[in-house]
Amino acid sequence: MTIQPIKKNNILCAVIESDKTVITDTQSALDILMCANYEANTKNIVIDKRLIVDDFFILSTGLAGEILQKYINYGGRIAIYGDYSYYTSKPLKDFICESNRGKDVFFVSTQEEAIDILTRSSLI
């Protein structure tokens, strides 16, 4: 796993890159947040949805809720990018829509959108 710091609009975010799944549970998600804070001096995380275990996107597992609540509790913000079009779960679609209305958790299509949304000064 590598953490690439990106600065835009004078706001830092950490782009997480890896060849394998890096978020598998709450602890691994927190480890990424703390590594980004230490290595890139930011708690703004940009990550491809392919790097997150599939259970995250099955809301009944509770994993998404646990991880995202921890991020918010620790002052973290996260933008997860990827293709969500093949998900048919109405609760997941509602969750994504509701999250995107806030200021801490975002689900977008591209890495560029993820960086843009986390570095918008109007959201901070």
Side-chain angles (χ1 to χ4, degrees):
M1 178 184 84
T2 59
I3 297 173
Q4 179 185 3
I6 302 283
K7 191 172 195 175
K8 186 173 180 180
N9 299 323
N10 217 23
I11 299 168
L12 273 171
C13 61
V15 177
I16 308 303
E17 298 172 342
S18 181
D19 294 333
K20 61 180 184 164
T21 303
V22 294
I23 294 181
T24 57
D25 56 19
T26 305
Q27 188 57 55
S28 61
L30 281 176
D31 290 346
I32 287 172
L33 181 62
M34 293 305 118
C35 285
N37 190 40
Y38 179 75
E39 292 180 29
N41 200 31
T42 185
K43 292 182 181 178
N44 293 324
I45 306 298
V46 172
I47 190 166
D48 190 320
K49 70 180 276 304
R50 293 177 295 161
L51 302 182
I52 302 172
V53 68
D54 288 336
D55 281 354
F56 180 92
F57 299 98
I58 302 170
L59 294 184
S60 61
T61 66
L63 187 58
E66 285 179 39
I67 289 172
L68 298 176
Q69 187 60 55
K70 291 281 188 190
Y71 267 52
I72 291 166
N73 290 349
Y74 284 94
R77 299 170 68 229
I78 187 168
I80 303 166
Y81 66 92
D83 181 10
Y84 301 97
S85 64
Y86 61 88
Y87 290 113
T88 59
S89 164
K90 181 172 177 0
L92 179 61
K93 287 180 180 184
D94 292 346
F95 179 75
I96 288 171
C97 186
E98 189 64 32
S99 294
N100 286 343
R101 289 186 187 134
K103 60 179 183 145
D104 298 311
V105 178
F106 304 96
F107 296 88
V108 296
S109 298
T110 67
Q111 184 182 85
E112 293 76 24
E113 285 178 282
I115 292 167
D116 285 347
I117 204 157
L118 287 180
T119 58
R120 257 192 246 155
S121 58
S122 63
L123 289 175
I124 300 197

